[in-house]
Amino acid sequence: MNPVKNLNKTLAHLKGLSALFLLCCCMSVQAQRVGLGGAKPTAAPAANLGIDPANPKEYTIAEVTVSGTQFLDPNSMISISGLKPGDKIRIPGPAVTSSIKKMMDFGTLDDVEIMATKIEGEKVWLNIHIKERPRLYKVSFSGIRKGERETLNDKVKLIKGRVITPTIIKNTQLVIKKYYQDKGFYNTKVKVLQIPDSTRGQATLNFGITKGKKVKIQKINIEGNTAISDKTLKRKMKGTKQRRIGRLFNPSKYIPKKYDEDKEKLIAYYRKNGYRDATIEFDTIRNGDETISIDMKIDEGRKYYYRDITWSGNYLYTSAYLSERLGVKKGDVYNPEELDKKINGIPGSDVSSIYMDDGYLYFHIDPTEKAVEGDSIDVELRMFEGKQATINRILLNGNTKTSDRVVLRELFTLPGQKFSKTEIINTQRQLSQMGYFDPEKIQINPIPNQQDGTVDIEYTVEEKPSDQIELSGGWGGYIGFVGTLGLVFNNFSIKNIPNRETWRPLPSGDGQKLSLRFQANGKQYQTYSLSFSEPWLGGKKPINFGVSFQRTVYRMTDLSSYYGYNTSGGGGRVSYRGGYYNNGITLSLGRRLKEPDRNLVMTHSLSYQRYRLDSLDIFRIGYSKGVSNNISFNTTISRNTLSDFQFPRSGSNISLSATFTPPYSVFRKKDFTDKTDTYRWVEYHKWMFDASYYATIAGKLVLSTRAHMGFLGAYGDKVGYSPFGRFILGGSGLAGQGTFSLADQDIIGLRGYQDQKVGPLAANGYPASGGGIVYNKYVMELRYPVSLNPQATIFVLGFAEGGNNWGSYSEFNPFDLKRSAGVGARIFMPAFGLLGIDWGYGFDKIQGSTTRSGPQFHFTIGQQIR
């Protein structure tokens, strides 16, 4: 062994030093600086220098050099060591040990040696020889599948070229273990193999992973609870479930993170029920081979109640008024969480809204336990009212596609107004309803300026794709396969047509809507529609202007001519027995009302439809040839407070509409001689009511209830109930599947029953007289989101619904419903809109059937209104 190293080890042992100190000298050889790839200088015995370990001597450093570097800068190493020419140093002494410690603490070195290469009188030449830690060349994983390796690469995020330290290795092991523990692999083991490449000073880290089997929870034992049962407590532990037969949706995997969260939920539940002092005294995990058991002991403490609730610091409102608004009384169970909600958590109904809706932005309340005696607690609500704040500026971020003015005109918080908490909540809902931004990413940040009593409000949004392409096909019953191509541009801009930079793929950013749709199977069936709407006509008020054009062509095929049933040699050539043609235009004008509720919208529309029947009795009433004209005026009043367009979690949407045609028969004195004369001018009045309500009942689970009804009326007995504008009920409610919607019919879905088969039917099984004149339908759904990503919003649902359709008011019975229940799923993709599939079971018989409807599958495209 090198005698100098032996000497240093002896010195380190004698002096109690924690690092190695080597002294070398060369009597006749000049000291050299060893650079990259250079050789380590030759050391001479310390005795040649006359160094006596027992008698340290002070030297002046003449020169400091560095050897052994590959990536590090030698000058930087000298600077870190703290040794520089001109300094005095005692050899042996603590200065060298301190220098070694500083360099090792730098974290990039594996070993440090400090050597004296020459001594002349009181001068000493030093060389610092270092060994660098290897740098990362590559990370690899073994023992797992390829897909898992790609996921772990994203998780560990180790950068190539980074110095490999024990801390990095340990932290990476912990990240890998946590990743698998969160998936239920509690006993995951991770071994590290470092594969060096000495020629480049790099190394590959290989993490060998042994996942083992998923660890299940065999048993959860809870002790000490008397007020709340084991069953209730275990139900509150959403992510920690013990194993039992039939558990599908809440697996019994043991995940430490979820277990820690569930323990906090248990204590929160206790405190919500008045057990202010409840704690988990201890909990242990008993580990088996593939299962664990959890033992937990709870100290519930006593149950507390409110005694006296007092107010301080309130000048604007009396304590009696604030107590009435708070709604907490003496003797109520002590519940700090509920108290905080009543102070700050219910916009428009909590205590803070009284102040913050009147501009008192700096208002706050500090609930303080004033006294605790027995099971009673006195609470003092200490408040600071502050001053009123006026909105100074509105800051808008993130709208890369939608123009600023389109967003700003939808805000309920405007510069110069007093700050209002409720209006900020309303603005957030309004931005969600626009459909241009991700509802989960809308952020609102008030920025107070206490010096001048103003507040800036910053809105941050994230654009989401809103344009849709509908490309689908379906079986149209008698007419066969029908293809559909639809384009919807929800953020269109006429003004930006000359500006090519706004074309994505068409000019966008002004909130206008342009929709084009084409549906056909060739010459037999074709329908075209084009619509445009401007939500802010003139740009100053929320007046919605819309115009739409539509054309439908339907020809009844003569199958005998196609297949040659009654012709000689004529098979394969299509001829038609009759046709239906419809051209129409609709103009609409709507306005958002201010009174009595700003969520109210009133819309008026004027429509003209021209129908031509050519030897085709679509109503099955003997009217097969002629032209009918329909001029109708519609008024709709609606109120929409839904929290979101695609997956509402709260709010309601109510709509009442009335449609009128002129009462032509009242002014015509002569009797109608034939059907052509009777229906030359279509007349009816129609009333429609639709209501939907959404509420979150637990976690992400949402309850949706809906009610729909429609009534078709006549102006007198001279014409009776018109075959136009009737109701067709059953199936998916999707126009374009089965028999198509014609003659202003309203197609309404009823899952669990065949398309358009509920209600009055003709002998051939199709709607008689064009459909029913009165219908109602009730729906209840439980919805749960699988993904709320705006690129693919997915949710599953369970439903129960009932409805019916009647051909006369004498038969109308709102409680005579065709009932069904089932499950379904919806997926919204920006490119294709909303797609749905349902399985429903019909419990009742329809007209003309002797058996219940039974199971039915339904496929839907687009947002179904009814």
Side-chain angles (χ1 to χ4, degrees):
M1 182 178 289
N2 191 311
V4 180
K5 287 191 177 182
N6 282 331
L7 174 60
N8 277 285
K9 288 185 178 180
T10 303
L11 291 174
H13 178 71
L14 293 173
K15 300 289 184 179
L17 302 176
S18 60
L20 187 61
F21 173 55
L22 298 177
L23 294 175
C24 304
C25 72
C26 295
M27 298 298 293
S28 59
V29 180
Q30 296 293 325
Q32 58 178 328
R33 176 174 177 174
V34 182
L36 183 65
K40 182 176 177 179
T42 304
N48 294 339
L49 299 175
I51 295 176
D52 184 1
N55 296 299
K57 184 179 178 181
E58 190 172 73
Y59 294 93
T60 299
I61 300 176
E63 184 183 29
V64 181
T65 57
V66 177
S67 61
T69 57
Q70 287 185 296
F71 298 99
L72 300 175
D73 178 37
N75 292 327
S76 298
M77 293 294 99
I78 294 173
S79 177
I80 292 170
S81 72
L83 301 174
K84 58 182 182 294
D87 288 351
K88 294 187 180 298
I89 184 173
R90 184 174 294 274
I91 301 176
V96 175
T97 304
S98 176
S99 296
I100 293 175
K101 185 177 184 304
K102 289 178 183 177
M103 300 184 73
M104 292 300 294
D105 288 345
F106 187 58
T108 61
L109 304 178
D110 221 16
D111 190 22
V112 177
E113 295 176 342
I114 298 179
M115 300 171 290
T117 57
K118 185 171 68 171
I119 292 178
E120 290 183 357
E122 294 183 355
K123 293 184 177 182
V124 64
W125 280 253
L126 299 179
N127 177 265
I128 303 173
H129 184 77
I130 64 175
K131 181 180 178 182
E132 296 182 20
R133 282 179 174 159
R135 294 177 179 264
L136 182 65
Y137 173 68
K138 187 173 67 173
V139 176
S140 62
F141 304 96
S142 57
I144 55 175
R145 298 190 301 269
K146 179 181 178 181
E148 294 176 273
R149 292 197 293 269
E150 293 174 352
T151 302
L152 284 179
N153 269 322
D154 295 333
K155 290 283 182 183
V156 299
K157 296 180 180 177
L158 290 178
I159 302 171
K160 185 177 180 180
R162 187 176 182 179
V163 175
I164 301 173
T165 65
T167 302
I168 288 176
I169 293 174
K170 187 67 176 177
N171 288 342
T172 304
Q173 287 178 298
L174 293 175
V175 168
I176 295 171
K177 283 186 177 181
K178 184 179 181 302
Y179 171 76
Y180 282 105
Q181 286 177 352
D182 288 347
K183 291 183 172 295
F185 297 95
Y186 181 63
N187 296 321
T188 298
K189 297 179 181 178
V190 182
K191 294 183 178 180
V192 183
L193 177 63
Q194 186 169 317
I195 307 170
D197 183 352
S198 57
T199 59
R200 292 184 291 186
Q202 296 179 327
T204 296
L205 288 181
N206 176 263
F207 294 91
I209 301 169
T210 305
K211 294 190 299 185
K213 295 184 177 180
K214 288 186 177 180
V215 174
K216 302 287 186 178
I217 302 172
Q218 183 66 33
K219 188 72 176 176
I220 299 177
N221 301 307
I222 303 177
E223 298 178 1
N225 56 309
T226 56
I228 301 176
S229 66
D230 287 6
K231 184 178 180 180
T232 300
L233 293 177
K234 290 177 182 178
R235 190 167 60 244
K236 295 298 175 183
M237 300 173 70
K238 303 295 185 182
T240 309
K241 300 291 185 181
Q242 70 182 29
R243 188 162 63 176
R244 66 173 172 80
I245 298 174
R247 187 179 295 284
L248 299 176
F249 299 106
N250 292 308
S252 56
K253 296 182 295 185
Y254 174 66
I255 300 175
K257 179 182 177 181
K258 290 187 177 181
Y259 176 54
D260 290 338
E261 292 173 353
D262 285 337
K263 287 191 291 184
E264 294 178 2
K265 290 178 183 177
L266 288 186
I267 298 303
Y269 182 71
Y270 265 105
R271 291 174 180 170
K272 186 177 180 180
N273 285 274
Y275 293 91
R276 164 181 175 268
D277 303 328
T279 58
I280 297 176
E281 286 192 83
F282 71 84
D283 64 297
T284 58
I285 307 296
R286 289 185 284 115
N287 199 358
D289 293 335
E290 297 180 12
T291 62
I292 65 161
S293 294
I294 298 175
D295 296 328
M296 181 186 301
K297 185 175 182 181
I298 295 177
D299 181 6
E300 294 180 328
R302 70 190 330 169
K303 190 172 185 177
Y304 291 89
Y305 302 87
Y306 290 105
R307 187 170 63 180
D308 292 330
I309 300 175
T310 58
W311 301 81
S312 64
N314 54 306
Y315 300 101
L316 296 173
Y317 299 96
T318 65
S319 297
Y321 175 76
L322 294 175
S323 294
E324 182 181 355
R325 183 65 173 258
L326 183 67
V328 177
K329 299 178 181 179
K330 182 177 181 177
D332 288 351
V333 174
Y334 181 69
N335 183 351
E337 180 184 338
E338 186 66 21
L339 180 66
D340 183 66
K341 286 182 180 179
K342 291 186 176 184
I343 294 173
N344 298 306
I346 311 170
S349 302
D350 58 351
V351 175
S352 68
S353 293
I354 300 175
Y355 288 89
M356 300 188 79
D357 286 352
D358 196 27
Y360 290 91
L361 171 64
Y362 310 109
F363 162 86
H364 66 268
I365 295 179
D366 295 323
T368 305
E369 294 180 2
K370 196 173 181 181
V372 180
E373 295 182 8
D375 63 351
S376 300
I377 297 179
D378 294 339
V379 176
E380 182 181 15
L381 300 174
R382 301 171 181 174
M383 62 166 47
F384 173 75
E385 293 178 333
K387 297 180 179 180
Q388 288 178 309
T390 303
I391 299 173
N392 180 35
R393 293 185 303 163
I394 300 295
L395 308 176
L396 187 59
N397 302 318
N399 54 317
T400 56
K401 179 179 178 180
T402 307
S403 63
D404 287 354
R405 64 182 181 84
V406 171
V407 182
L408 294 174
R409 71 192 184 189
E410 299 293 340
L411 305 184
F412 297 135
T413 54
L414 301 176
Q417 294 180 344
K418 292 179 182 178
F419 176 84
S420 173
K421 172 183 174 181
T422 299
E423 295 293 25
I424 283 184
I425 301 299
N426 291 338
T427 297
Q428 185 173 24
R429 187 188 68 247
Q430 188 71 14
L431 293 177
S432 299
Q433 290 180 351
M434 291 178 70
Y436 308 148
F437 311 115
D438 182 355
E440 306 294 321
K441 301 291 180 64
I442 297 175
Q443 298 178 10
I444 303 176
N445 179 34
I447 307 173
N449 305 310
Q450 296 194 29
Q451 295 81 2
D452 58 5
T454 63
V455 58
D456 298 335
I457 302 179
E458 181 181 36
Y459 292 94
T460 302
V461 297
E462 183 176 306
E463 298 268 7
K464 70 173 185 178
S466 57
D467 298 333
Q468 299 173 17
I469 300 175
E470 180 186 349
L471 185 62
S472 62
W475 186 258
Y478 178 75
I479 64 175
F481 181 83
V482 176
T484 302
L485 174 62
L487 301 174
V488 180
F489 301 96
N490 286 302
N491 200 357
F492 187 71
S493 173
I494 290 181
K495 184 183 72 174
N496 286 331
I497 290 178
N499 186 2
R500 295 291 300 179
E501 294 180 358
T502 65
W503 287 54
R504 304 184 181 98
L506 289 181
S508 59
D510 279 349
Q512 299 162 351
K513 182 176 180 179
L514 179 66
S515 176
L516 302 95
R517 198 166 188 266
F518 171 68
Q519 194 173 34
N521 78 330
K523 290 185 177 181
Q524 186 178 1
Y525 177 82
Q526 299 172 2
T527 181
Y528 316 85
S529 65
L530 169 66
S531 64
F532 170 81
S533 65
E534 164 57 73
W536 283 67
L537 184 63
K540 294 183 179 180
K541 294 183 179 180
I543 299 175
N544 188 306
F545 169 76
V547 59
S548 64
F549 305 90
Q550 55 274 342
R551 172 175 170 77
T552 300
V553 176
Y554 172 49
R555 301 180 179 92
M556 180 69 74
T557 305
D558 185 356
L559 294 180
S560 62
S561 67
Y562 184 78
Y563 293 106
Y565 295 156
N566 56 2
T567 61
S568 56
R573 290 178 299 183
V574 179
S575 63
Y576 301 100
R577 293 187 294 170
Y580 162 88
Y581 307 89
N582 169 222
N583 297 302
I585 180 174
T586 301
L587 300 174
S588 64
L589 202 64
R591 179 166 184 170
R592 190 184 304 160
L593 304 180
K594 294 182 179 180
E595 299 293 341
D597 189 328
R598 79 156 52 116
N599 296 310
L600 286 172
V601 175
M602 179 171 283
T603 304
H604 306 290
S605 65
L606 182 64
S607 175
Y608 172 71
Q609 304 287 331
R610 185 178 187 274
Y611 312 103
R612 182 167 66 88
L613 299 178
D614 183 10
S615 302
L616 180 63
D617 185 6
I618 62 173
F619 305 119
R620 299 168 185 85
I621 59 173
Y623 177 41
S624 60
K625 196 173 184 65
V627 174
S628 297
N629 301 276
N630 185 352
I631 300 175
S632 61
F633 177 79
N634 173 274
T635 294
T636 300
I637 184 167
S638 61
R639 183 178 185 271
N640 186 348
T641 61
L642 296 181
S643 60
D644 183 18
F645 179 71
Q646 297 303 334
F647 187 77
R649 300 182 185 181
S650 62
S652 62
N653 190 2
I654 302 173
S655 172
L656 175 64
S657 71
T659 304
F660 305 92
T661 66
Y664 302 106
S665 60
V666 175
F667 305 104
R668 299 174 66 179
K669 299 186 180 298
K670 66 175 184 178
D671 293 332
F672 297 105
T673 56
D674 56 31
K675 299 293 184 182
T676 303
D677 191 29
T678 302
Y679 300 120
R680 185 182 306 278
W681 294 96
V682 176
E683 64 172 58
Y684 59 76
H685 56 91
K686 183 161 65 172
W687 305 79
M688 305 285 285
F689 175 77
D690 301 284
S692 58
Y693 173 77
Y694 297 84
T696 301
I697 57 176
K700 297 181 180 179
L701 188 64
V702 174
L703 172 66
S704 168
T705 57
R706 305 197 300 275
H708 310 278
M709 54 191 68
F711 305 89
L712 184 71
Y715 292 113
D717 297 332
K718 190 177 292 187
V719 174
Y721 294 102
S722 171
F724 294 86
R726 295 202 175 200
F727 308 111
I728 296 178
L729 187 67
S732 64
L734 178 65
Q737 303 293 317
T739 304
F740 285 73
S741 172
L742 305 173
D744 200 24
Q745 297 165 329
D746 284 288
I747 295 183
I748 299 101
L750 185 64
R751 292 167 288 190
Y753 297 88
Q754 294 182 26
D755 284 348
Q756 309 180 15
K757 297 293 185 180
V758 178
L761 301 178
N764 60 2
Y766 289 96
S769 302
I773 61 172
V774 56
Y775 91 95
N776 60 4
K777 172 185 171 182
Y778 308 99
V779 183
M780 182 178 71
E781 288 183 351
L782 285 174
R783 299 178 168 192
Y784 189 84
V786 177
S787 169
L788 293 177
N789 188 326
Q791 302 298 327
T793 302
I794 305 171
F795 63 90
V796 293
L797 58 89
F799 69 86
E801 64 185 30
N804 208 345
N805 191 17
W806 295 270
S808 67
Y809 283 98
S810 61
E811 300 172 347
F812 173 53
N813 180 359
F815 302 104
D816 177 21
L817 303 177
K818 306 302 180 185
R819 302 159 300 163
S820 66
V823 295
R826 298 289 184 274
I827 176 170
F828 174 82
M829 294 184 293
F832 298 100
L834 188 67
L835 307 177
I837 186 170
D838 294 291
W839 178 89
Y841 188 90
F843 297 106
D844 298 302
K845 297 178 289 186
I846 62 173
Q847 184 172 321
S849 175
T850 57
T851 60
R852 62 176 58 184
S853 178
Q856 305 279 339
F857 276 99
H858 306 285
F859 177 72
T860 58
I861 301 175
Q863 192 77 261
Q864 303 299 299
I865 300 175
R866 301 178 178 92

